[in-house]
Amino acid sequence: MTNPPATQHSYPYQNQPIWSKSEKVIARTAFDAALGRELHEVIQEAKRMASQIQQSSDLWDLEHYLTQRRKEIDRKYDYRYSRLTHVFARLLYEERLREEELHGLREDKLTPIRSFAKFLAEDAA
C-alpha cells in the first residue's frame, strides 16, 4: 500500500501544513540565521576555553563541551518541514530567532509557532 501523492490541495500527512516556495525561502533563511548565531556562540566559547587550556583535563573539558553542544544542536535544528513549526517555536522561546524573521509565513504556520513558544515559556515558568 502506498501513500497518496502530495497535491496542491492535499498532503499525505493531514496535520502538516503545506509550505509554499516563498515560505520555504523564508524558513531556510530564518533557520540558517538562527543556526549561524548559535554556532557563533559555540565558536566563541570554544576559543575562550582553548585559550585557557593549562593541562590535559582542560583539553578533555573542551572536547566534552563541543560534543555536548554538537548533540544539542543536531537535535534542535531539524529542517524537516514536518518539524519546522516546533523548531521555530523553540528558537523563538530561546530568543535565538525573532518573529520578524518569520515575516511572510502564513498564519497556518505562525499560529502554531506562537502557540508552542508560549507553551514552552509557560511550562518553564
Side-chain angles (χ1 to χ4, degrees):
M1 181 183 265
T2 61
N3 290 331
T7 65
Q8 184 178 9
H9 301 292
S10 69
Y11 197 76
Y13 306 102
Q14 294 177 0
N15 295 337
Q16 300 302 320
I18 297 170
W19 294 77
S20 70
K21 286 182 182 182
S22 62
E23 288 179 309
K24 288 178 181 181
V25 170
I26 293 164
R28 176 48 81 177
T29 301
F31 181 93
D32 288 346
L35 176 57
R37 287 189 290 267
E38 188 153 0
L39 290 174
H40 179 74
E41 290 176 15
V42 172
I43 291 167
Q44 295 306 310
E45 179 62 12
K47 286 179 178 180
R48 186 196 65 73
M49 291 175 76
S51 72
Q52 296 178 358
I53 291 175
Q54 298 291 321
Q55 53 193 6
S56 59
S57 63
D58 299 331
L59 181 64
W60 304 130
D61 289 343
L62 173 58
E63 185 272 340
H64 177 74
Y65 167 76
L66 290 171
T67 299
Q68 290 306 112
R69 293 297 288 136
R70 180 184 51 81
K71 289 177 182 179
E72 291 168 10
I73 289 169
D74 285 348
R75 279 191 301 268
K76 184 189 309 185
Y77 289 88
D78 183 348
Y79 194 78
R80 290 177 290 174
Y81 293 111
S82 62
R83 299 287 307 145
L84 273 182
T85 55
H86 285 98
V87 171
F88 287 153
R90 181 173 178 186
L91 294 173
L92 280 175
Y93 162 70
E94 292 179 356
E95 298 181 352
R96 298 200 176 276
L97 185 67
R98 295 178 315 277
E99 192 169 333
E100 301 82 53
E101 293 176 280
L102 301 176
H103 178 74
L105 296 184
R106 292 188 313 247
E107 281 302 314
D108 67 327
K109 292 161 200 79
L110 290 174
T111 299
I113 290 168
R114 289 178 188 127
S115 176
F116 191 52
K118 182 179 177 186
F119 167 79
L120 291 172
E122 290 170 354
D123 189 52

